[in-house]
Amino acid sequence: MAENDDLKALIRTIPDFPKPGIQFRDITTLLLDAGGFATAIDRMAAAVPGPIDLVAGIEARGFLFAAALAAPLRAGVLLIRKDGKLPGATIAEDYALEYGQDRIAIHADACAPGARVLLVDDLIATGGTARAAVRLLAKAGAELVQAQFLVDLPDLGGADALRADGVAVASLIAFPGH
């Protein structure tokens, strides 16, 4: 990932947010840099193994990357939303939070069985939401080609948990700690 140090330099770290001890990796500074954002999308697209049908983005920042990647990959965009945000019939998946549970959903007709899908989000930390998204895509009958993230926080284990689940994982940048 040293080859992506130019992009890493565009990501601001905000200490002690949202609580003491957390090093928040703020990608908004990369998004504000037109060249940096375009380079990130180019590099993410180049890392996709083979053709895909859909890019599935996890709400909310994952939508930015899904839409931007879909164009060069000539793929559709599948929105993975918080439950209750989609107007049509949905399928959903629950996942655990530190204090309770949450639920994500997709439209029931959004993904044809056998569709080749790339899952994307801006960052992977503990992997709870990403793992739920993988289960949700499996319910829909998708063939998950890869889960891809701009940033990985490897010390939190999310990418390794996805790999343990048999998912191919790629990211451009890694930051130590949490």
Side-chain angles (χ1 to χ4, degrees), residues 60-170:
R61 290 178 302 268
F63 294 173
L64 301 170
F65 290 91
L69 281 165
L73 295 173
R74 310 293 287 168
V77 177
L78 172 62
L79 302 180
I80 300 176
R81 305 245 17 219
K82 294 180 182 186
D83 195 35
K85 300 285 186 178
L86 294 169
T90 62
I91 57 173
E93 182 68 27
D94 293 323
Y95 63 101
L97 297 170
E98 188 175 355
Y99 301 104
Q101 285 211 325
D102 211 343
R103 189 172 175 88
I104 54 174
I106 62 173
H107 276 125
D109 61 355
C111 180
R116 291 176 49 83
V117 178
L118 169 69
L119 176 66
V120 297
D121 205 356
D122 65 320
L123 182 141
I124 181 135
T126 62
T129 308
R131 292 178 82 197
V134 168
R135 293 190 305 272
L136 182 58
L137 292 168
K139 274 186 188 178
E143 178 189 336
L144 183 61
V145 173
Q146 184 183 64
Q148 196 176 120
F149 308 91
L150 175 68
V151 175
D152 180 16
L153 303 178
D155 294 345
L156 296 180
D160 285 341
L162 284 173
R163 288 183 191 101
D165 292 342
V167 176
V169 179

Side-chain angles (χ1 to χ4, degrees), residues 17-40:
F17 182 83
K19 60 185 184 180
I22 302 294
Q23 298 293 311
F24 186 83
R25 307 307 178 170
D26 180 17
I27 67 153
T28 63
T29 47
L30 180 138
L31 295 173
L32 286 166
D33 186 294
F37 184 53
T39 298

